[in-house]
Amino acid sequence: MRISTKFRLLLLASLLICLQVQAETVTLNLKDADISALISTVAEVTDRNFIVDPRVKGKVTVISSRPMDSEEVYQVFLSILKVHGFAAVPSGEVIKIVPDVNAKQDGIPTANEKSPGRGDEMVTRVVQVDNVAAAQLVPILRPLVPQQGHLAAYPATNVLIISDRASNVDRLLTIIRRIDQVSDSEIEIIALQHASATEVVRVLTNLNRAEPAAAKGAAAASGQVLVADERTNSVLLGGDRSSRLRMRAIISHLDTPLDAGGNTDVIYLHYAEATEIVDTLMGVGKIEEQETQTGKGKATTSSRGSFDIQADESTNSLVITAPPDIMRTLKRVISQLDIRRAQVLVEAIIAEVGEDTARDLGVQWIFAGDTGNNRGPIGVINYSNSGSPIADVTNAAIAAKNGGTVPTLLDGALVGFGRFGSNSFNYAMVLNALASDANTNILSTPTLVTLDNEEAEIVIGENVPFVTGSFTSTGAGDSATNPFQTIQREDVGLTLKIKPQINEGDAMRLDIEQEVSSIADSVAGASDIVTNKRSIKTNVMVDDGQVVVLGGLIEELVLESVQKVPLLGDVPFLGALFRSKTSDVKKTNLMVFIHPVILRDAEHMNSYTNYKYNDIRVRQMQQNNDGINLMPGEQQPVLPNIEDYTIVPVPGTKPVPVKPGESPAAAGGSAQPTSNSDVIYE
């Protein structure tokens, strides 16, 4: 009869286990028994159901000297599993036996104070930490948690999450309670009467830096904190009791009044102009002095007194003599005024497109008699809307016949002469047929950069003289003596004037005056120069980088004129010989746009500068490649590479100026190109 392997294992376990059933107790003794047999025995004794992972294998040895009840047997069973790297995970009505590394990822029970778990039972515990940061406990407790366990902190609620054996979790809880204690570290607020809180904190911080490493470590361990509150001129002091006592003594020594009841300080400005902010600071100082004298300030009697502010233009600095409380207020105001202001690049785009079409068709006549020596016109048909008056044409013909100077005739005039008889009648005809087309396309993009809240102006044009008056004095014999004229010069061209104001965010307010003027063609009846003018003056609100239309004009003008001889001009077909027609169509499209960009820092400004610089340089190089007509080989001027002007400054070296068109090597420099300097250092 063959015995199965399972039966043999159970038989071996039965032989090695001596069960003494006394009041439902069991004495457990095993030596090199298969762990599967142990699980089967524990299942019978404890009346529990187990599911065994295939990876659970091995031999176990248990030596017991006294009887145990079923619960004690189960706890011993859990300890045996822990020793061999396995864990029991409850799952409903069964218990899963799995390797330790997988237990924490399974459904192990969550323990609490009422049900903390026992012995080597796998549990998860959420521990609330009250007085210290939970994240600070993780590196302290991590060495006490086995590799297959889990320890993490959740800063949002300041809790620790622990997954491990119940006995080890209890040990960690004991350690956490001893660490999680209320500290004697507090925050003190020390109000200063004479010294500046910012200056005192700076001195104490430098003092801590200068101390030995051991003292620094002690200060860090005590949680020492130093913060200055400029609004109340107070020092916030944190740390343990001994550290705070030492700092209070130093602060009390520093917070002493000056013998003269005031002090003098020189403040060098970085961005603001000293002469421009003196009036503002004087106003602030007077208000602060009035509050001090009326008891609203915190200054003592020794700090009261007059103050004085002087600006030194050569060094752009302020020399301030004032009591400590007023001095602190002035310094705080200066720190807020002396800031780097943003710049604004404004590009105006002026686009004008025009079209002019004209047509002229007409016939003019002149009739003259010839009776002996008397010759002259006896009839003229002349039109004022015609471009070539027939009288001028006749005079030109007579002058040409007599060898005189022929005046210039207008285009589009066809002249014909004839006579009916040698001594009777002469005539002349002028046929005007003229067509003209003119197109205009003008694009101007003036660009201007200025500081925030600073007005700037750019003018590109000519300075043209205009006669405003004349005077002539006449002497004896009606001879003119001492004549003169009064002339006023005006700019004719393009003018752009802006004043930007940057608001919160990227929006800005622009005060803009833009004008385009030019000298017009000669106008009939005008006694002097006539100018065309297009001007806009407005205030707009625009975002950074946005293109906004400021204004414009769309105009279409149609002029038609018909002149004719009464009755004759109305005759069908033949009436065209006694008519003159002109038509003129003018279209004008003019728009002005604005494109502002905020340049908040040097990098942003360099980016736009390089873009504009390289754009002009590329255009010059294109023209240079095209060459100059009739001058082969002649080079046109081209801007040098912008990197030749932007050299990295090397500390401790002398600057060597870079001349326009000169390379850094020619100037004696060897630095790398950048965009923050205009000189080379050697």
Side-chain angles (χ1 to χ4, degrees), residues 152-190:
Y154 183 57
T157 56
N158 201 42
V159 298
L160 285 172
I161 303 173
I162 308 173
S163 293
D164 200 3
R165 310 285 176 174
S167 58
N168 194 41
V169 172
D170 290 339
R171 181 172 70 106
L172 295 176
L173 285 176
T174 303
I175 297 173
I176 292 171
R177 292 190 186 100
R178 299 189 63 179
I179 297 176
D180 188 22
Q181 300 292 330
V182 178
S183 174
D184 62 349
S185 178
E186 297 179 358
I187 299 294
E188 295 185 21
I189 300 177
I190 304 175

mmCIF file of all heavy atoms in Angstrom, residues 152-190:
data_model
loop_
_atom_site.group_PDB
_atom_site.id
_atom_site.type_symbol
_atom_site.label_atom_id
_atom_site.label_comp_id
_atom_site.label_asym_id
_atom_site.label_seq_id
_atom_site.Cartn_x
_atom_site.Cartn_y
_atom_site.Cartn_z
ATOM 1 N N ALA A 152 6.191 56.820 6.214
ATOM 2 C CA ALA A 152 6.068 58.030 5.389
ATOM 3 C C ALA A 152 5.352 59.101 6.202
ATOM 4 O O ALA A 152 4.622 58.806 7.156
ATOM 5 C CB ALA A 152 5.315 57.736 4.098
ATOM 6 N N ALA A 153 5.586 60.366 5.798
ATOM 7 C CA ALA A 153 4.952 61.522 6.450
ATOM 8 C C ALA A 153 4.026 62.204 5.461
ATOM 9 O O ALA A 153 4.333 62.297 4.262
ATOM 10 C CB ALA A 153 6.001 62.507 6.960
ATOM 11 N N TYR A 154 2.895 62.709 5.972
ATOM 12 C CA TYR A 154 1.956 63.493 5.170
ATOM 13 C C TYR A 154 1.920 64.906 5.753
ATOM 14 O O TYR A 154 1.255 65.148 6.769
ATOM 15 C CB TYR A 154 0.568 62.851 5.200
ATOM 16 C CG TYR A 154 -0.436 63.563 4.331
ATOM 17 C CD1 TYR A 154 -0.206 63.744 2.969
ATOM 18 C CD2 TYR A 154 -1.610 64.069 4.867
ATOM 19 C CE1 TYR A 154 -1.117 64.399 2.169
ATOM 20 C CE2 TYR A 154 -2.536 64.722 4.076
ATOM 21 C CZ TYR A 154 -2.286 64.879 2.727
ATOM 22 O OH TYR A 154 -3.189 65.538 1.943
ATOM 23 N N PRO A 155 2.671 65.860 5.170
ATOM 24 C CA PRO A 155 2.802 67.194 5.779
ATOM 25 C C PRO A 155 1.493 67.961 5.875
ATOM 26 O O PRO A 155 1.356 68.828 6.743
ATOM 27 C CB PRO A 155 3.791 67.910 4.846
ATOM 28 C CG PRO A 155 4.498 66.826 4.104
ATOM 29 C CD PRO A 155 3.502 65.717 3.962
ATOM 30 N N ALA A 156 0.541 67.689 4.979
ATOM 31 C CA ALA A 156 -0.693 68.488 4.990
ATOM 32 C C ALA A 156 -1.404 68.412 6.332
ATOM 33 O O ALA A 156 -1.925 69.417 6.839
ATOM 34 C CB ALA A 156 -1.618 68.019 3.864
ATOM 35 N N THR A 157 -1.458 67.198 6.944
ATOM 36 C CA THR A 157 -2.096 67.043 8.269
ATOM 37 C C THR A 157 -1.087 66.697 9.352
ATOM 38 O O THR A 157 -1.479 66.410 10.484
ATOM 39 C CB THR A 157 -3.164 65.937 8.188
ATOM 40 O OG1 THR A 157 -2.553 64.732 7.719
ATOM 41 C CG2 THR A 157 -4.287 66.341 7.253
ATOM 42 N N ASN A 158 0.204 66.687 9.007
ATOM 43 C CA ASN A 158 1.285 66.420 9.956
ATOM 44 C C ASN A 158 1.090 65.064 10.648
ATOM 45 O O ASN A 158 1.044 64.970 11.883
ATOM 46 C CB ASN A 158 1.373 67.546 10.989
ATOM 47 C CG ASN A 158 2.743 67.596 11.656
ATOM 48 O OD1 ASN A 158 3.773 67.453 10.995
ATOM 49 N ND2 ASN A 158 2.766 67.773 12.968
ATOM 50 N N VAL A 159 0.971 63.999 9.868
ATOM 51 C CA VAL A 159 0.809 62.652 10.408
ATOM 52 C C VAL A 159 1.887 61.748 9.836
ATOM 53 O O VAL A 159 2.492 62.036 8.793
ATOM 54 C CB VAL A 159 -0.590 62.073 10.093
ATOM 55 C CG1 VAL A 159 -1.679 62.899 10.737
ATOM 56 C CG2 VAL A 159 -0.802 61.972 8.581
ATOM 57 N N LEU A 160 2.132 60.625 10.551
ATOM 58 C CA LEU A 160 3.034 59.568 10.099
ATOM 59 C C LEU A 160 2.217 58.334 9.766
ATOM 60 O O LEU A 160 1.268 57.982 10.487
ATOM 61 C CB LEU A 160 4.062 59.232 11.185
ATOM 62 C CG LEU A 160 5.200 60.225 11.400
ATOM 63 C CD1 LEU A 160 6.004 59.832 12.626
ATOM 64 C CD2 LEU A 160 6.108 60.312 10.188
ATOM 65 N N ILE A 161 2.578 57.642 8.708
ATOM 66 C CA ILE A 161 1.927 56.397 8.299
ATOM 67 C C ILE A 161 2.958 55.280 8.425
ATOM 68 O O ILE A 161 4.005 55.322 7.768
ATOM 69 C CB ILE A 161 1.383 56.491 6.875
ATOM 70 C CG1 ILE A 161 0.396 57.663 6.753
ATOM 71 C CG2 ILE A 161 0.717 55.195 6.462
ATOM 72 C CD1 ILE A 161 -0.063 57.921 5.344
ATOM 73 N N ILE A 162 2.659 54.272 9.284
ATOM 74 C CA ILE A 162 3.605 53.191 9.572
ATOM 75 C C ILE A 162 2.921 51.865 9.256
ATOM 76 O O ILE A 162 1.809 51.596 9.731
ATOM 77 C CB ILE A 162 4.059 53.204 11.044
ATOM 78 C CG1 ILE A 162 4.569 54.598 11.443
ATOM 79 C CG2 ILE A 162 5.138 52.162 11.288
ATOM 80 C CD1 ILE A 162 4.878 54.733 12.909
ATOM 81 N N SER A 163 3.590 51.029 8.456
ATOM 82 C CA SER A 163 3.145 49.661 8.193
ATOM 83 C C SER A 163 4.253 48.714 8.629
ATOM 84 O O SER A 163 5.344 48.696 8.033
ATOM 85 C CB SER A 163 2.821 49.465 6.708
ATOM 86 O OG SER A 163 1.703 50.221 6.331
ATOM 87 N N ASP A 164 3.981 47.903 9.695
ATOM 88 C CA ASP A 164 4.994 47.002 10.245
ATOM 89 C C ASP A 164 4.310 46.053 11.232
ATOM 90 O O ASP A 164 3.085 46.076 11.400
ATOM 91 C CB ASP A 164 6.101 47.815 10.926
ATOM 92 C CG ASP A 164 7.383 47.018 11.070
ATOM 93 O OD1 ASP A 164 7.429 45.868 10.606
ATOM 94 O OD2 ASP A 164 8.344 47.546 11.666
ATOM 95 N N ARG A 165 5.110 45.233 11.902
ATOM 96 C CA ARG A 165 4.585 44.362 12.943
ATOM 97 C C ARG A 165 4.042 45.206 14.089
ATOM 98 O O ARG A 165 4.564 46.279 14.399
ATOM 99 C CB ARG A 165 5.679 43.443 13.463
ATOM 100 C CG ARG A 165 6.446 42.717 12.375
ATOM 101 C CD ARG A 165 5.640 41.598 11.770
ATOM 102 N NE ARG A 165 6.361 40.973 10.648
ATOM 103 C CZ ARG A 165 5.952 39.892 10.009
ATOM 104 N NH1 ARG A 165 4.815 39.324 10.352
ATOM 105 N NH2 ARG A 165 6.651 39.396 9.014
ATOM 106 N N ALA A 166 2.989 44.703 14.741
ATOM 107 C CA ALA A 166 2.343 45.481 15.796
ATOM 108 C C ALA A 166 3.304 45.795 16.931
ATOM 109 O O ALA A 166 3.276 46.892 17.508
ATOM 110 C CB ALA A 166 1.123 44.722 16.321
ATOM 111 N N SER A 167 4.183 44.864 17.264
ATOM 112 C CA SER A 167 5.126 45.102 18.364
ATOM 113 C C SER A 167 6.098 46.223 18.025
ATOM 114 O O SER A 167 6.400 47.077 18.864
ATOM 115 C CB SER A 167 5.890 43.811 18.680
ATOM 116 O OG SER A 167 6.583 43.356 17.517
ATOM 117 N N ASN A 168 6.587 46.250 16.775
ATOM 118 C CA ASN A 168 7.513 47.313 16.387
ATOM 119 C C ASN A 168 6.797 48.646 16.263
ATOM 120 O O ASN A 168 7.352 49.698 16.571
ATOM 121 C CB ASN A 168 8.194 46.953 15.067
ATOM 122 C CG ASN A 168 9.396 47.840 14.782
ATOM 123 O OD1 ASN A 168 10.168 48.152 15.690
ATOM 124 N ND2 ASN A 168 9.551 48.243 13.533
ATOM 125 N N VAL A 169 5.532 48.637 15.826
ATOM 126 C CA VAL A 169 4.760 49.871 15.759
ATOM 127 C C VAL A 169 4.582 50.454 17.157
ATOM 128 O O VAL A 169 4.678 51.672 17.361
ATOM 129 C CB VAL A 169 3.405 49.622 15.077
ATOM 130 C CG1 VAL A 169 2.516 50.865 15.184
ATOM 131 C CG2 VAL A 169 3.596 49.239 13.617
ATOM 132 N N ASP A 170 4.328 49.575 18.168
ATOM 133 C CA ASP A 170 4.207 50.067 19.542
ATOM 134 C C ASP A 170 5.515 50.697 20.008
ATOM 135 O O ASP A 170 5.510 51.718 20.707
ATOM 136 C CB ASP A 170 3.812 48.915 20.467
ATOM 137 C CG ASP A 170 2.378 48.469 20.226
ATOM 138 O OD1 ASP A 170 1.609 49.283 19.670
ATOM 139 O OD2 ASP A 170 2.035 47.325 20.576
ATOM 140 N N ARG A 171 6.636 50.106 19.641
ATOM 141 C CA ARG A 171 7.935 50.672 20.021
ATOM 142 C C ARG A 171 8.146 52.035 19.369
ATOM 143 O O ARG A 171 8.617 52.985 20.006
ATOM 144 C CB ARG A 171 9.054 49.711 19.616
ATOM 145 C CG ARG A 171 10.457 50.189 19.978
ATOM 146 C CD ARG A 171 11.456 49.083 19.720
ATOM 147 N NE ARG A 171 11.642 48.842 18.308
ATOM 148 C CZ ARG A 171 12.738 49.206 17.615
ATOM 149 N NH1 ARG A 171 13.723 49.811 18.237
ATOM 150 N NH2 ARG A 171 12.827 48.952 16.336
ATOM 151 N N LEU A 172 7.780 52.171 18.098
ATOM 152 C CA LEU A 172 7.922 53.461 17.420
ATOM 153 C C LEU A 172 7.004 54.511 18.039
ATOM 154 O O LEU A 172 7.375 55.690 18.153
ATOM 155 C CB LEU A 172 7.602 53.297 15.925
ATOM 156 C CG LEU A 172 8.557 52.408 15.123
ATOM 157 C CD1 LEU A 172 8.061 52.269 13.688
ATOM 158 C CD2 LEU A 172 9.963 52.977 15.133
ATOM 159 N N LEU A 173 5.811 54.110 18.464
ATOM 160 C CA LEU A 173 4.904 55.064 19.109
ATOM 161 C C LEU A 173 5.492 55.595 20.399
ATOM 162 O O LEU A 173 5.342 56.783 20.729
ATOM 163 C CB LEU A 173 3.555 54.399 19.372
ATOM 164 C CG LEU A 173 2.639 54.204 18.161
ATOM 165 C CD1 LEU A 173 1.387 53.437 18.569
ATOM 166 C CD2 LEU A 173 2.252 55.538 17.566
ATOM 167 N N THR A 174 6.163 54.736 21.159
ATOM 168 C CA THR A 174 6.804 55.184 22.404
ATOM 169 C C THR A 174 7.872 56.229 22.114
ATOM 170 O O THR A 174 7.986 57.258 22.811
ATOM 171 C CB THR A 174 7.413 53.982 23.135
ATOM 172 O OG1 THR A 174 6.389 53.016 23.386
ATOM 173 C CG2 THR A 174 8.030 54.416 24.459
ATOM 174 N N ILE A 175 8.660 55.999 21.066
ATOM 175 C CA ILE A 175 9.716 56.963 20.708
ATOM 176 C C ILE A 175 9.102 58.272 20.223
ATOM 177 O O ILE A 175 9.565 59.364 20.575
ATOM 178 C CB ILE A 175 10.629 56.345 19.631
ATOM 179 C CG1 ILE A 175 11.328 55.100 20.179
ATOM 180 C CG2 ILE A 175 11.649 57.365 19.142
ATOM 181 C CD1 ILE A 175 12.118 54.338 19.136
ATOM 182 N N ILE A 176 8.049 58.188 19.417
ATOM 183 C CA ILE A 176 7.411 59.401 18.891
ATOM 184 C C ILE A 176 6.850 60.255 20.024
ATOM 185 O O ILE A 176 6.980 61.489 20.020
ATOM 186 C CB ILE A 176 6.313 59.017 17.879
ATOM 187 C CG1 ILE A 176 6.936 58.406 16.618
ATOM 188 C CG2 ILE A 176 5.468 60.241 17.497
ATOM 189 C CD1 ILE A 176 5.929 57.816 15.667
ATOM 190 N N ARG A 177 6.228 59.610 21.035
ATOM 191 C CA ARG A 177 5.652 60.386 22.146
ATOM 192 C C ARG A 177 6.726 61.115 22.932
ATOM 193 O O ARG A 177 6.490 62.204 23.457
ATOM 194 C CB ARG A 177 4.859 59.445 23.051
ATOM 195 C CG ARG A 177 3.597 58.879 22.407
ATOM 196 C CD ARG A 177 2.732 58.159 23.422
ATOM 197 N NE ARG A 177 1.608 57.494 22.790
ATOM 198 C CZ ARG A 177 1.564 56.202 22.500
ATOM 199 N NH1 ARG A 177 2.611 55.414 22.777
ATOM 200 N NH2 ARG A 177 0.498 55.677 21.907
ATOM 201 N N ARG A 178 7.904 60.521 23.038
ATOM 202 C CA ARG A 178 8.987 61.180 23.779
ATOM 203 C C ARG A 178 9.575 62.350 22.986
ATOM 204 O O ARG A 178 10.055 63.317 23.563
ATOM 205 C CB ARG A 178 10.074 60.163 24.112
ATOM 206 C CG ARG A 178 9.582 59.019 24.995
ATOM 207 C CD ARG A 178 10.725 58.162 25.480
ATOM 208 N NE ARG A 178 11.647 58.909 26.336
ATOM 209 C CZ ARG A 178 12.731 58.388 26.922
ATOM 210 N NH1 ARG A 178 12.998 57.098 26.746
ATOM 211 N NH2 ARG A 178 13.522 59.129 27.655
ATOM 212 N N ILE A 179 9.519 62.250 21.660
ATOM 213 C CA ILE A 179 10.047 63.354 20.835
ATOM 214 C C ILE A 179 9.010 64.449 20.665
ATOM 215 O O ILE A 179 9.342 65.652 20.679
ATOM 216 C CB ILE A 179 10.491 62.813 19.460
ATOM 217 C CG1 ILE A 179 11.637 61.814 19.619
ATOM 218 C CG2 ILE A 179 10.911 63.964 18.537
ATOM 219 C CD1 ILE A 179 12.053 61.163 18.317
ATOM 220 N N ASP A 180 7.770 64.068 20.538
ATOM 221 C CA ASP A 180 6.695 65.035 20.255
ATOM 222 C C ASP A 180 6.294 65.761 21.535
ATOM 223 O O ASP A 180 5.201 65.559 22.078
ATOM 224 C CB ASP A 180 5.499 64.310 19.645
ATOM 225 C CG ASP A 180 4.436 65.285 19.141
ATOM 226 O OD1 ASP A 180 4.783 66.449 18.880
ATOM 227 O OD2 ASP A 180 3.271 64.876 19.012
ATOM 228 N N GLN A 181 7.191 66.625 22.008
ATOM 229 C CA GLN A 181 6.968 67.375 23.239
ATOM 230 C C GLN A 181 6.918 68.872 22.931
ATOM 231 O O GLN A 181 7.497 69.349 21.950
ATOM 232 C CB GLN A 181 8.086 67.101 24.259
ATOM 233 C CG GLN A 181 8.206 65.651 24.663
ATOM 234 C CD GLN A 181 7.015 65.181 25.476
ATOM 235 O OE1 GLN A 181 6.389 65.965 26.203
ATOM 236 N NE2 GLN A 181 6.686 63.889 25.355
ATOM 237 N N VAL A 182 6.225 69.630 23.775
ATOM 238 C CA VAL A 182 6.155 71.086 23.632
ATOM 239 C C VAL A 182 7.513 71.670 23.967
ATOM 240 O O VAL A 182 8.070 71.409 25.040
ATOM 241 C CB VAL A 182 5.072 71.676 24.550
ATOM 242 C CG1 VAL A 182 5.040 73.191 24.418
ATOM 243 C CG2 VAL A 182 3.711 71.079 24.212
ATOM 244 N N SER A 183 8.072 72.482 23.026
ATOM 245 C CA SER A 183 9.391 73.087 23.232
ATOM 246 C C SER A 183 9.255 74.410 23.961
ATOM 247 O O SER A 183 8.196 75.048 23.974
ATOM 248 C CB SER A 183 10.074 73.306 21.883
ATOM 249 O OG SER A 183 11.277 73.998 22.034
ATOM 250 N N ASP A 184 10.377 74.807 24.588
ATOM 251 C CA ASP A 184 10.386 76.114 25.256
ATOM 252 C C ASP A 184 10.728 77.235 24.288
ATOM 253 O O ASP A 184 10.953 78.371 24.699
ATOM 254 C CB ASP A 184 11.376 76.109 26.421
ATOM 255 C CG ASP A 184 12.808 75.866 25.959
ATOM 256 O OD1 ASP A 184 12.995 75.498 24.787
ATOM 257 O OD2 ASP A 184 13.728 76.041 26.783
ATOM 258 N N SER A 185 10.800 76.913 22.970
ATOM 259 C CA SER A 185 11.096 77.934 21.964
ATOM 260 C C SER A 185 9.871 78.813 21.741
ATOM 261 O O SER A 185 8.773 78.315 21.485
ATOM 262 C CB SER A 185 11.504 77.264 20.646
ATOM 263 O OG SER A 185 11.742 78.221 19.659
ATOM 264 N N GLU A 186 10.046 80.106 21.838
ATOM 265 C CA GLU A 186 8.975 81.070 21.652
ATOM 266 C C GLU A 186 9.429 82.173 20.716
ATOM 267 O O GLU A 186 10.609 82.274 20.375
ATOM 268 C CB GLU A 186 8.553 81.667 22.999
ATOM 269 C CG GLU A 186 7.987 80.656 23.983
ATOM 270 C CD GLU A 186 7.616 81.298 25.299
ATOM 271 O OE1 GLU A 186 7.835 82.526 25.429
ATOM 272 O OE2 GLU A 186 7.114 80.593 26.198
ATOM 273 N N ILE A 187 8.496 83.008 20.313
ATOM 274 C CA ILE A 187 8.787 84.166 19.469
ATOM 275 C C ILE A 187 8.559 85.421 20.291
ATOM 276 O O ILE A 187 7.464 85.635 20.818
ATOM 277 C CB ILE A 187 7.910 84.184 18.209
ATOM 278 C CG1 ILE A 187 8.156 82.931 17.366
ATOM 279 C CG2 ILE A 187 8.175 85.441 17.384
ATOM 280 C CD1 ILE A 187 9.539 82.835 16.785
ATOM 281 N N GLU A 188 9.592 86.226 20.404
ATOM 282 C CA GLU A 188 9.491 87.497 21.115
ATOM 283 C C GLU A 188 9.523 88.639 20.107
ATOM 284 O O GLU A 188 10.217 88.573 19.090
ATOM 285 C CB GLU A 188 10.641 87.663 22.107
ATOM 286 C CG GLU A 188 10.650 86.661 23.243
ATOM 287 C CD GLU A 188 11.756 86.970 24.235
ATOM 288 O OE1 GLU A 188 12.213 88.142 24.254
ATOM 289 O OE2 GLU A 188 12.170 86.055 24.975
ATOM 290 N N ILE A 189 8.771 89.685 20.411
ATOM 291 C CA ILE A 189 8.766 90.889 19.582
ATOM 292 C C ILE A 189 9.415 92.003 20.393
ATOM 293 O O ILE A 189 8.894 92.422 21.430
ATOM 294 C CB ILE A 189 7.335 91.276 19.165
ATOM 295 C CG1 ILE A 189 6.695 90.140 18.367
ATOM 296 C CG2 ILE A 189 7.361 92.554 18.335
ATOM 297 C CD1 ILE A 189 5.260 90.411 17.986
ATOM 298 N N ILE A 190 10.561 92.465 19.932
ATOM 299 C CA ILE A 190 11.326 93.495 20.643
ATOM 300 C C ILE A 190 11.221 94.781 19.839
ATOM 301 O O ILE A 190 11.764 94.882 18.730
ATOM 302 C CB ILE A 190 12.792 93.070 20.818
ATOM 303 C CG1 ILE A 190 12.868 91.721 21.540
ATOM 304 C CG2 ILE A 190 13.567 94.136 21.565
ATOM 305 C CD1 ILE A 190 14.274 91.169 21.647
#
